[in-house]
Amino acid sequence: MFYDTHAHLDYPDFQPDFADVLARARAAGVTKIISIGTNFESSRRAVALAGQHNEVFAVVGWHPSDALAAPDDVRPVLRELAAHPKVVAVGETGLDYYRLPSTKGGTPADDARDKQKQATIFRQQLEVAAELRLNCVIHQRGETLDDTLAIMTSFAGRTRGVFHCFSGDLKALERIRAAGSLVSFTGIVTFKNGQNVRDAVAAAPLGEFMLETDCPFLAPIPYRGKRCEPAYVREIAEAVAQAKGCSLPELSQATCAAALDFFPRLAS
Ligand SMILES: [Zn+2]
């Protein structure tokens, strides 16, 4: 038994065969799937899917890569969406300096505006999470760990984060753990060039990390390059267990317990 703690089930990729996707997950022993919102529309669709399917749960939020499209204040709508009992966290939120406006012909001033908006809606989402006693799903990419942890520091003790799709080094892992947050691992752990992630897996104590697919992205070997789906948590789990030197039942127990602790509403 495993959980997929980060999936984008609302993406159009899954529309043609959604029932089969869920059936294959079930057959692979993936008993809970968390569908992550990236803006209001996607968050609403995630909540609707959670309402329709027992094994599906939702996270509601606004992704940093789309920050400039967000309203000035994302809090009112997120509060409303998060009232649903199957919403287990707020996100995905965080900071991403990879695709700033200057990479698409924008000016340095556009970049500054984008970074500022990312930080603003990140703080707002942490605030909603703290208010509602929920944790946060954190997207952190590029040279943003310092800024991300700095913003989270003012919410210490009120909300924690899971740094999803963790692919940083051991020092980054240490800093995230010291901040009271945890990480989750994707199919990158199966990639030939994923040794740094396998090193992080080996260093992360059992019970302090979770598993995810980030589907439809990042399909593990042997599906690399194809559409990813929740059933592939199985392949990810096998690679993680090998990197950790533990058995699959041990890994199942520890990762599910970590998820239930981090997302208490998942127990319902
Ligand atoms: Zn995601």
Side-chain angles (χ1 to χ4, degrees), residues 26-208:
R26 225 169 290 137
V30 178
T31 56
K32 291 179 195 278
I33 304 166
I34 304 180
S35 192
I36 312 284
T38 51
N39 57 34
F40 291 158
E41 272 320 301
S42 132
S43 297
R44 272 191 201 104
R45 289 195 297 265
V47 172
L49 290 172
Q52 287 156 12
H53 305 279
N54 256 338
E55 66 267 58
V56 178
F57 295 78
V59 169
V60 298
W62 200 294
H63 197 288
S65 295
D66 203 17
L68 287 176
D72 288 338
D73 190 348
V74 298
R75 289 170 297 186
V77 172
L78 289 183
R79 281 187 191 110
E80 234 170 80
L81 287 170
H84 191 285
K86 289 189 81 182
V87 170
V88 299
V90 174
E92 54 185 296
T93 180
L95 301 174
D96 188 332
Y97 299 164
Y98 257 39
R99 267 164 293 168
L100 289 173
S102 61
T103 64
K104 302 164 242 169
T107 65
D110 293 334
D111 283 1
R113 216 160 49 85
D114 190 326
K115 285 182 176 179
Q116 198 172 23
K117 184 73 178 286
Q118 288 192 32
T120 302
I121 63 168
F122 183 21
R123 275 194 209 92
Q124 290 172 354
Q125 292 178 76
L126 289 165
E127 209 180 301
V128 171
E131 252 173 55
L132 302 176
R133 297 169 192 280
L134 291 171
N135 287 322
C136 289
V137 174
I138 306 293
H139 172 102
Q140 184 262 314
R141 197 157 167 245
E143 302 293 307
T144 57
L145 186 61
D146 288 345
D147 292 357
T148 303
L149 289 175
I151 289 176
M152 292 185 75
T153 301
S154 40
F155 293 87
R158 293 191 286 149
T159 184
R160 297 194 296 147
V162 55
F163 284 63
H164 105 90
C165 193
F166 183 77
S167 52
D169 58 16
L170 298 184
K171 217 172 132 198
L173 178 67
E174 266 323 297
R175 293 180 63 196
I176 289 166
R177 291 183 58 214
S181 288
L182 65 167
V183 298
S184 56
F185 295 108
T186 59
I188 297 176
V189 72
T190 68
F191 294 177
K192 213 174 224 161
N193 59 0
Q195 190 54 47
N196 63 320
V197 176
R198 287 187 286 279
D199 292 344
V201 166
L206 266 183
E208 290 188 30

